[in-house]
Amino acid sequence: MSWVATIGLETHVQLRTESKMFCACSTGFGAAPNSHVCPVCLGYPGAMPVLNRKAVELTVRSGLMLGCDIPFYSKFDRKSYFYPDMPKNYQISQYDQPLCEGGGVDIVLEGQARRIALTRIHLEEDVGKSMHFRSSSGVDFNRAGVPLMEIVSDPDMHTPEEAIAYLTALKQILLYAEVSDCNLEEGNMRSDVNISIAREGATELGTKAEIKNMNTFRGVQSALRYEIARQIDVLEEGGRIVQETRRWDPDAEMTSSMRTKEDAHDYRYFPEPDLMPVVLTEAQIAAWRATLPEPPAARRERMVSEYGIPEYDAGVLAADKRVGDFFEAVARASGNGKAASNWIMTEMLRLLGDQEMEISDVRVTPEALAGLIGLVDSGALNSNSAKEVFAELFAHGGDPKAVVEAKGLTQVSDSGAIETFVQQAIDANPQSIEDFRNGKTQAAKFLVGQVMRLSKGKANPQMVGEMIERLLSSDD
Amino acid sequence: MADEVKSGPEGIDTAYVANLARMVVSDEEVARFQPQLEQVVKYVAKLQELDVSGIEPTSHAQPLTNVLREDGVREGLTNDQVMANAPASSEGQFLVPKIVE
Amino acid sequence: MSLDADGALAQAEEADRKRAAGEEASLLGIPVAIKDVLNVTGQPCTCGSQILQGYVAPYDATAIAKLRAAGAVFVGRTNMDEFAMGGTTENSSFQVTRNPHDLDCVPGGSSGGSAAAVGGGIALAALGSDTGGSIRQPASFCGCVGLKPTYGRISRYGLTAFASSLDQIGPMTHDVRDAAILLEAMAGVDPMDSTSVDQSVPVYTAALSGDLKGMTLGLPQEYFVEGVDPEVEAAVRAAVERCRELGAEIREVSLPHTEYAIATYYVIATAEASANLARFDGVRYGSRAEGGTDPIDMYGKTRAQGFGEEVKRRIILGTYVLSSGYHDAYYLTGQKVRTLIRCDFEQAFETCDAILTPVSPTAAYKIGEKINDPLQMYLGDMFTATVNLAGNCGLAVPCGKTSTGLPIGLQVIGPDFGEAQVLRVGHAYEQSEAAS
């Protein structure tokens, strides 16, 4: 009989706020240790928290994007445990009345669509960061008090691939909602993974292990693969899984048990007396809902039908909201969705990748790219020249017409001028005529190439082809 | 969560609870505190005489809601200021005995 | 506790300069002693505890900042029970504070240092903090006026928390008018304290009419019960009569859940304290025990060494009532009974403007007398802790002395934000006593 894994994720996402959750210290990354601190986030005697409105708004916004219920009443609680990176030795979190409940994340895996159910989203404060030296550890509280939302999934996934699809889709949605930078390198999105194994068909879940604090998707995947195999091994050898917290060691590629203190966690939750409850109105929630962007999945479908582009292209373009926005701006301005998609997929994303640039840094504007597409569509520019113009626009920005003129790339569509080039090419290559008459059709293509060279690429290639065909045939 | 506290006469185990609160208590202290705390717990248990079903708990003395601040950065303390209060520090960080996980 | 002579002199000189320049401020040059639980920039704030040895506050509590702006001079810090836990100031880890009316007696607590300084004539005024009676009871023991304002009336920002949902800062003064002036200077909403209430601050001194005409005062039967010292009861009843003579109508009221107040108080206060005091761990400030092998070991030793007995007892009790398996039976039930106690007051204030009670069942007692009987000590908070649980305000005013010369206190309890009423009652009574 085979085994089935059950996976649930708790993902901590740093919210995009300027200041911390309960004080006015900066959330900026990479500052000198203990330089973004104050009596509040250091847990000084007498200091008190005051809730950041933006953190509440961004959490609710996330909940709305993820289809959660937003209860009208929500409160904060103290969760007690001692750790050097915890300034107050309790964390302000939400216990039984979080800001968001339920909801789900749509994933597509191997062509199959399904929805991973969410349990809840709550708002809490981050802890500090410790660094380990030889005989002591150092603690930096810059991160302490940074607002995090914890997105808790149901134990609703069964393979590492599903977990990755979930995280990928979740990240995409959060980026769409503009609630977090989701910068994994800066620890903006960290996951705890719960995993258990049971016999296929069993009605009860197995004993779960928790793997803490992974900040890469690949880490989650590797850790899950390892842990599933480990638990199956233990069970097949007749052993038992102990409920415990494990740590993923990315270098050793294995999980190991974290030292568990004799007293299991007793967090002693109770309502935070220093903070008042959050009470939302229907009108407030509706106002926030009205500002939500279209979710990525809906956008993909719409892009296919509205612009007539392939599903694959829609998937690539909608993956990043900013790319999708860029595409739609070009498609609308040019009236040519397919061309817009082709330019962005084949040229722009390639150049961005090569140069390790973000789309937000790009110099070419959607209007310029739409103008370029217009020049090609009207026959004023051939595709080779257009690529040259695009490269120029990508490197320096500017107006496509101006670039075309500056580079003298305007396509020659005047039949007299083209005929002159064609005659020159035929005169210089009499052998080609012979070949053509002997049935070698590529001789015509050779002549087209010669004409393009003589015209420095400016001749309208379609007209050149037709003219050569006609001239060679008429001499017959 | 499992009920892990061992039951004394009035259900309080001084040494166990002190450890939850991260305080070392000596045997002498346990011997002194245990009967005192038992007496207090026994007294406090009189709350169970009351029927509180249907009564909402009070967490705050004043019924305020939505006390929020706008998102904005203000200068906090300098590193020198906070290190001046630190029992042990090095290079701008608070030092603690090595954390063993 | 500590004396900031240079700082006080500098402040006083500044006040003199301002006065010479014709500037006006309500407290210009007035010296105020500060309980060692409030943060004042550049000063230590030990809270009577070894664990805060070495800590120097880098910021002003809001109440301090407001007094500073009004021109007050901070002369020094007063002794207290460690982290405001106690009713005698015997729990200070630094020194003994004695009652100025009998040096063998306790000054009360936890604001015993402030009460002794004012009652003994050393200070003109002082600040205390009151979680279960810590302003009113020592004021009563030392024969001075003490006000516990309505929860949310004065910002708690910068007040080292004992029990966050119960704590309030308040004035301790020679007379009611001074208390009104200090209250007015400190009251008001504070963006740094989410629990402070946005209610306009009246001119409290304007309420001090000197009579009680048209007022109805309630007398709760539950506060005149067995266990109240006969001399205390007689003095309070005499004060009630005086109030009647001043024009007040006296009527019986009932606060039926009073007998559950101490149980409720010790559950909620210790639960909150167990979390509030978790931050004292020797990492960021304060003292640290030597020889910790890892952080957990270091915490255990630091907290064992840094906290005194009463604080340890209460942390253990508070941790216990929140712990798995006991949370609902104790903590949650306590919160529900708190609702009942609050309703008691709401109902009582439908029929009266203020309530008169003793502050404490007894006058001051001998140093050492109750130190080994925590429960007996806790029961002394019976008449004051109810007010913290309900969140309204209470004023202690001297109302005579025992046969051995120890002061007795009358408590005037008002509804939420009823400070003007209780000050009016206290003032009228005080003035008529002074005149008689």
PDB file of all heavy atoms in Angstrom, chain C residues 299-322:
ATOM      1  N   TYR C 299      18.431  33.965  31.260  1.00  0.00           N
ATOM      2  CA  TYR C 299      17.150  34.536  31.708  1.00  0.00           C
ATOM      3  C   TYR C 299      16.803  34.031  33.103  1.00  0.00           C
ATOM      4  O   TYR C 299      16.413  34.795  33.988  1.00  0.00           O
ATOM      5  CB  TYR C 299      15.981  34.109  30.805  1.00  0.00           C
ATOM      6  CG  TYR C 299      16.038  34.542  29.377  1.00  0.00           C
ATOM      7  CD1 TYR C 299      15.367  33.812  28.398  1.00  0.00           C
ATOM      8  CD2 TYR C 299      16.736  35.686  28.994  1.00  0.00           C
ATOM      9  CE1 TYR C 299      15.391  34.199  27.080  1.00  0.00           C
ATOM     10  CE2 TYR C 299      16.758  36.073  27.670  1.00  0.00           C
ATOM     11  CZ  TYR C 299      16.092  35.325  26.714  1.00  0.00           C
ATOM     12  OH  TYR C 299      16.103  35.700  25.419  1.00  0.00           O
ATOM     13  N   GLY C 300      16.891  32.718  33.268  1.00  0.00           N
ATOM     14  CA  GLY C 300      16.489  32.088  34.527  1.00  0.00           C
ATOM     15  C   GLY C 300      17.247  32.684  35.692  1.00  0.00           C
ATOM     16  O   GLY C 300      16.674  32.992  36.739  1.00  0.00           O
ATOM     17  N   LYS C 301      18.553  32.870  35.504  1.00  0.00           N
ATOM     18  CA  LYS C 301      19.394  33.408  36.581  1.00  0.00           C
ATOM     19  C   LYS C 301      19.158  34.897  36.779  1.00  0.00           C
ATOM     20  O   LYS C 301      19.086  35.382  37.906  1.00  0.00           O
ATOM     21  CB  LYS C 301      20.868  33.150  36.258  1.00  0.00           C
ATOM     22  CG  LYS C 301      21.234  31.685  36.396  1.00  0.00           C
ATOM     23  CD  LYS C 301      22.672  31.422  35.998  1.00  0.00           C
ATOM     24  CE  LYS C 301      23.059  29.988  36.365  1.00  0.00           C
ATOM     25  NZ  LYS C 301      24.051  29.443  35.439  1.00  0.00           N
ATOM     26  N   THR C 302      19.066  35.630  35.661  1.00  0.00           N
ATOM     27  CA  THR C 302      18.871  37.079  35.755  1.00  0.00           C
ATOM     28  C   THR C 302      17.569  37.403  36.462  1.00  0.00           C
ATOM     29  O   THR C 302      17.522  38.268  37.345  1.00  0.00           O
ATOM     30  CB  THR C 302      18.859  37.691  34.337  1.00  0.00           C
ATOM     31  OG1 THR C 302      20.146  37.508  33.762  1.00  0.00           O
ATOM     32  CG2 THR C 302      18.522  39.178  34.375  1.00  0.00           C
ATOM     33  N   ARG C 303      16.531  36.692  36.109  1.00  0.00           N
ATOM     34  CA  ARG C 303      15.215  36.981  36.682  1.00  0.00           C
ATOM     35  C   ARG C 303      15.122  36.482  38.121  1.00  0.00           C
ATOM     36  O   ARG C 303      14.447  37.096  38.954  1.00  0.00           O
ATOM     37  CB  ARG C 303      14.122  36.390  35.782  1.00  0.00           C
ATOM     38  CG  ARG C 303      14.031  37.163  34.452  1.00  0.00           C
ATOM     39  CD  ARG C 303      13.320  36.409  33.337  1.00  0.00           C
ATOM     40  NE  ARG C 303      11.927  36.130  33.600  1.00  0.00           N
ATOM     41  CZ  ARG C 303      10.924  37.004  33.477  1.00  0.00           C
ATOM     42  NH1 ARG C 303      11.186  38.241  33.097  1.00  0.00           N
ATOM     43  NH2 ARG C 303       9.676  36.650  33.719  1.00  0.00           N
ATOM     44  N   ALA C 304      15.834  35.386  38.423  1.00  0.00           N
ATOM     45  CA  ALA C 304      15.875  34.890  39.802  1.00  0.00           C
ATOM     46  C   ALA C 304      16.559  35.917  40.701  1.00  0.00           C
ATOM     47  O   ALA C 304      16.132  36.192  41.817  1.00  0.00           O
ATOM     48  CB  ALA C 304      16.617  33.561  39.861  1.00  0.00           C
ATOM     49  N   GLN C 305      17.623  36.497  40.177  1.00  0.00           N
ATOM     50  CA  GLN C 305      18.433  37.430  40.939  1.00  0.00           C
ATOM     51  C   GLN C 305      17.821  38.830  40.958  1.00  0.00           C
ATOM     52  O   GLN C 305      17.922  39.549  41.942  1.00  0.00           O
ATOM     53  CB  GLN C 305      19.802  37.461  40.261  1.00  0.00           C
ATOM     54  CG  GLN C 305      20.888  38.217  40.924  1.00  0.00           C
ATOM     55  CD  GLN C 305      22.189  38.054  40.125  1.00  0.00           C
ATOM     56  OE1 GLN C 305      22.689  36.935  39.935  1.00  0.00           O
ATOM     57  NE2 GLN C 305      22.704  39.147  39.618  1.00  0.00           N
ATOM     58  N   GLY C 306      17.169  39.207  39.859  1.00  0.00           N
ATOM     59  CA  GLY C 306      16.714  40.585  39.699  1.00  0.00           C
ATOM     60  C   GLY C 306      15.367  40.885  40.328  1.00  0.00           C
ATOM     61  O   GLY C 306      15.095  42.028  40.682  1.00  0.00           O
ATOM     62  N   PHE C 307      14.508  39.879  40.443  1.00  0.00           N
ATOM     63  CA  PHE C 307      13.173  40.113  40.992  1.00  0.00           C
ATOM     64  C   PHE C 307      13.131  39.742  42.473  1.00  0.00           C
ATOM     65  O   PHE C 307      13.733  38.756  42.900  1.00  0.00           O
ATOM     66  CB  PHE C 307      12.119  39.258  40.276  1.00  0.00           C
ATOM     67  CG  PHE C 307      11.834  39.662  38.855  1.00  0.00           C
ATOM     68  CD1 PHE C 307      11.693  38.695  37.865  1.00  0.00           C
ATOM     69  CD2 PHE C 307      11.672  41.001  38.503  1.00  0.00           C
ATOM     70  CE1 PHE C 307      11.401  39.055  36.547  1.00  0.00           C
ATOM     71  CE2 PHE C 307      11.387  41.363  37.189  1.00  0.00           C
ATOM     72  CZ  PHE C 307      11.259  40.384  36.213  1.00  0.00           C
ATOM     73  N   GLY C 308      12.339  40.498  43.211  1.00  0.00           N
ATOM     74  CA  GLY C 308      12.117  40.167  44.612  1.00  0.00           C
ATOM     75  C   GLY C 308      10.980  39.162  44.759  1.00  0.00           C
ATOM     76  O   GLY C 308      10.326  38.784  43.787  1.00  0.00           O
ATOM     77  N   GLU C 309      10.749  38.750  46.020  1.00  0.00           N
ATOM     78  CA  GLU C 309       9.797  37.662  46.286  1.00  0.00           C
ATOM     79  C   GLU C 309       8.379  37.931  45.808  1.00  0.00           C
ATOM     80  O   GLU C 309       7.752  37.080  45.202  1.00  0.00           O
ATOM     81  CB  GLU C 309       9.737  37.404  47.788  1.00  0.00           C
ATOM     82  CG  GLU C 309      10.854  36.553  48.281  1.00  0.00           C
ATOM     83  CD  GLU C 309      10.444  35.671  49.449  1.00  0.00           C
ATOM     84  OE1 GLU C 309       9.292  35.754  49.906  1.00  0.00           O
ATOM     85  OE2 GLU C 309      11.297  34.885  49.875  1.00  0.00           O
ATOM     86  N   GLU C 310       7.860  39.103  46.122  1.00  0.00           N
ATOM     87  CA  GLU C 310       6.471  39.371  45.770  1.00  0.00           C
ATOM     88  C   GLU C 310       6.289  39.372  44.256  1.00  0.00           C
ATOM     89  O   GLU C 310       5.302  38.854  43.731  1.00  0.00           O
ATOM     90  CB  GLU C 310       5.999  40.696  46.383  1.00  0.00           C
ATOM     91  CG  GLU C 310       4.543  41.050  46.105  1.00  0.00           C
ATOM     92  CD  GLU C 310       3.549  40.006  46.602  1.00  0.00           C
ATOM     93  OE1 GLU C 310       3.888  39.202  47.493  1.00  0.00           O
ATOM     94  OE2 GLU C 310       2.407  39.982  46.090  1.00  0.00           O
ATOM     95  N   VAL C 311       7.261  39.950  43.556  1.00  0.00           N
ATOM     96  CA  VAL C 311       7.183  39.972  42.092  1.00  0.00           C
ATOM     97  C   VAL C 311       7.222  38.548  41.558  1.00  0.00           C
ATOM     98  O   VAL C 311       6.445  38.177  40.665  1.00  0.00           O
ATOM     99  CB  VAL C 311       8.320  40.843  41.511  1.00  0.00           C
ATOM    100  CG1 VAL C 311       8.392  40.694  39.998  1.00  0.00           C
ATOM    101  CG2 VAL C 311       8.100  42.310  41.891  1.00  0.00           C
ATOM    102  N   LYS C 312       8.089  37.738  42.124  1.00  0.00           N
ATOM    103  CA  LYS C 312       8.158  36.342  41.669  1.00  0.00           C
ATOM    104  C   LYS C 312       6.827  35.631  41.913  1.00  0.00           C
ATOM    105  O   LYS C 312       6.325  34.922  41.042  1.00  0.00           O
ATOM    106  CB  LYS C 312       9.277  35.594  42.412  1.00  0.00           C
ATOM    107  CG  LYS C 312      10.662  35.969  41.937  1.00  0.00           C
ATOM    108  CD  LYS C 312      11.706  35.155  42.698  1.00  0.00           C
ATOM    109  CE  LYS C 312      13.095  35.690  42.384  1.00  0.00           C
ATOM    110  NZ  LYS C 312      14.118  35.104  43.258  1.00  0.00           N
ATOM    111  N   ARG C 313       6.288  35.818  43.105  1.00  0.00           N
ATOM    112  CA  ARG C 313       4.994  35.174  43.404  1.00  0.00           C
ATOM    113  C   ARG C 313       3.936  35.579  42.387  1.00  0.00           C
ATOM    114  O   ARG C 313       3.193  34.749  41.880  1.00  0.00           O
ATOM    115  CB  ARG C 313       4.520  35.590  44.805  1.00  0.00           C
ATOM    116  CG  ARG C 313       4.769  34.566  45.895  1.00  0.00           C
ATOM    117  CD  ARG C 313       3.982  34.902  47.152  1.00  0.00           C
ATOM    118  NE  ARG C 313       4.293  36.214  47.695  1.00  0.00           N
ATOM    119  CZ  ARG C 313       5.226  36.449  48.626  1.00  0.00           C
ATOM    120  NH1 ARG C 313       5.909  35.455  49.156  1.00  0.00           N
ATOM    121  NH2 ARG C 313       5.449  37.688  49.052  1.00  0.00           N
ATOM    122  N   ARG C 314       3.902  36.863  42.088  1.00  0.00           N
ATOM    123  CA  ARG C 314       2.839  37.316  41.180  1.00  0.00           C
ATOM    124  C   ARG C 314       3.094  36.873  39.748  1.00  0.00           C
ATOM    125  O   ARG C 314       2.156  36.583  39.006  1.00  0.00           O
ATOM    126  CB  ARG C 314       2.694  38.834  41.263  1.00  0.00           C
ATOM    127  CG  ARG C 314       2.187  39.257  42.633  1.00  0.00           C
ATOM    128  CD  ARG C 314       1.531  40.601  42.594  1.00  0.00           C
ATOM    129  NE  ARG C 314       1.437  41.176  43.937  1.00  0.00           N
ATOM    130  CZ  ARG C 314       0.788  42.297  44.217  1.00  0.00           C
ATOM    131  NH1 ARG C 314       0.180  42.964  43.256  1.00  0.00           N
ATOM    132  NH2 ARG C 314       0.749  42.758  45.446  1.00  0.00           N
ATOM    133  N   ILE C 315       4.349  36.836  39.343  1.00  0.00           N
ATOM    134  CA  ILE C 315       4.638  36.336  37.992  1.00  0.00           C
ATOM    135  C   ILE C 315       4.222  34.866  37.891  1.00  0.00           C
ATOM    136  O   ILE C 315       3.630  34.432  36.898  1.00  0.00           O
ATOM    137  CB  ILE C 315       6.135  36.518  37.636  1.00  0.00           C
ATOM    138  CG1 ILE C 315       6.448  38.004  37.417  1.00  0.00           C
ATOM    139  CG2 ILE C 315       6.499  35.700  36.393  1.00  0.00           C
ATOM    140  CD1 ILE C 315       7.915  38.308  37.179  1.00  0.00           C
ATOM    141  N   ILE C 316       4.506  34.112  38.938  1.00  0.00           N
ATOM    142  CA  ILE C 316       4.132  32.692  38.918  1.00  0.00           C
ATOM    143  C   ILE C 316       2.608  32.549  38.875  1.00  0.00           C
ATOM    144  O   ILE C 316       2.063  31.797  38.058  1.00  0.00           O
ATOM    145  CB  ILE C 316       4.728  31.945  40.138  1.00  0.00           C
ATOM    146  CG1 ILE C 316       6.262  31.916  40.029  1.00  0.00           C
ATOM    147  CG2 ILE C 316       4.169  30.523  40.241  1.00  0.00           C
ATOM    148  CD1 ILE C 316       6.964  31.429  41.278  1.00  0.00           C
ATOM    149  N   LEU C 317       1.934  33.325  39.704  1.00  0.00           N
ATOM    150  CA  LEU C 317       0.469  33.261  39.722  1.00  0.00           C
ATOM    151  C   LEU C 317      -0.110  33.661  38.355  1.00  0.00           C
ATOM    152  O   LEU C 317      -0.997  32.981  37.817  1.00  0.00           O
ATOM    153  CB  LEU C 317      -0.072  34.183  40.823  1.00  0.00           C
ATOM    154  CG  LEU C 317      -1.581  34.150  41.068  1.00  0.00           C
ATOM    155  CD1 LEU C 317      -2.029  32.754  41.503  1.00  0.00           C
ATOM    156  CD2 LEU C 317      -1.978  35.182  42.129  1.00  0.00           C
ATOM    157  N   GLY C 318       0.411  34.737  37.795  1.00  0.00           N
ATOM    158  CA  GLY C 318      -0.088  35.224  36.506  1.00  0.00           C
ATOM    159  C   GLY C 318       0.205  34.256  35.373  1.00  0.00           C
ATOM    160  O   GLY C 318      -0.622  34.075  34.466  1.00  0.00           O
ATOM    161  N   THR C 319       1.358  33.633  35.423  1.00  0.00           N
ATOM    162  CA  THR C 319       1.706  32.637  34.406  1.00  0.00           C
ATOM    163  C   THR C 319       0.766  31.443  34.524  1.00  0.00           C
ATOM    164  O   THR C 319       0.267  30.914  33.531  1.00  0.00           O
ATOM    165  CB  THR C 319       3.171  32.189  34.594  1.00  0.00           C
ATOM    166  OG1 THR C 319       4.004  33.344  34.545  1.00  0.00           O
ATOM    167  CG2 THR C 319       3.596  31.203  33.512  1.00  0.00           C
ATOM    168  N   TYR C 320       0.508  31.064  35.762  1.00  0.00           N
ATOM    169  CA  TYR C 320      -0.376  29.929  36.034  1.00  0.00           C
ATOM    170  C   TYR C 320      -1.788  30.162  35.505  1.00  0.00           C
ATOM    171  O   TYR C 320      -2.353  29.303  34.822  1.00  0.00           O
ATOM    172  CB  TYR C 320      -0.384  29.677  37.542  1.00  0.00           C
ATOM    173  CG  TYR C 320      -1.434  28.703  38.019  1.00  0.00           C
ATOM    174  CD1 TYR C 320      -1.312  27.337  37.760  1.00  0.00           C
ATOM    175  CD2 TYR C 320      -2.541  29.143  38.735  1.00  0.00           C
ATOM    176  CE1 TYR C 320      -2.274  26.444  38.210  1.00  0.00           C
ATOM    177  CE2 TYR C 320      -3.502  28.259  39.186  1.00  0.00           C
ATOM    178  CZ  TYR C 320      -3.369  26.921  38.915  1.00  0.00           C
ATOM    179  OH  TYR C 320      -4.319  26.029  39.350  1.00  0.00           O
ATOM    180  N   VAL C 321      -2.365  31.334  35.789  1.00  0.00           N
ATOM    181  CA  VAL C 321      -3.768  31.550  35.386  1.00  0.00           C
ATOM    182  C   VAL C 321      -3.926  31.671  33.872  1.00  0.00           C
ATOM    183  O   VAL C 321      -5.040  31.585  33.362  1.00  0.00           O
ATOM    184  CB  VAL C 321      -4.429  32.773  36.083  1.00  0.00           C
ATOM    185  CG1 VAL C 321      -4.460  32.568  37.583  1.00  0.00           C
ATOM    186  CG2 VAL C 321      -3.740  34.076  35.723  1.00  0.00           C
ATOM    187  N   LEU C 322      -2.815  31.883  33.168  1.00  0.00           N
ATOM    188  CA  LEU C 322      -2.892  31.935  31.700  1.00  0.00           C
ATOM    189  C   LEU C 322      -2.492  30.616  31.059  1.00  0.00           C
ATOM    190  O   LEU C 322      -2.627  30.443  29.853  1.00  0.00           O
ATOM    191  CB  LEU C 322      -1.953  33.030  31.167  1.00  0.00           C
ATOM    192  CG  LEU C 322      -2.379  34.482  31.363  1.00  0.00           C
ATOM    193  CD1 LEU C 322      -1.249  35.403  30.905  1.00  0.00           C
ATOM    194  CD2 LEU C 322      -3.653  34.783  30.575  1.00  0.00           C
TER     195      LEU C 322
END
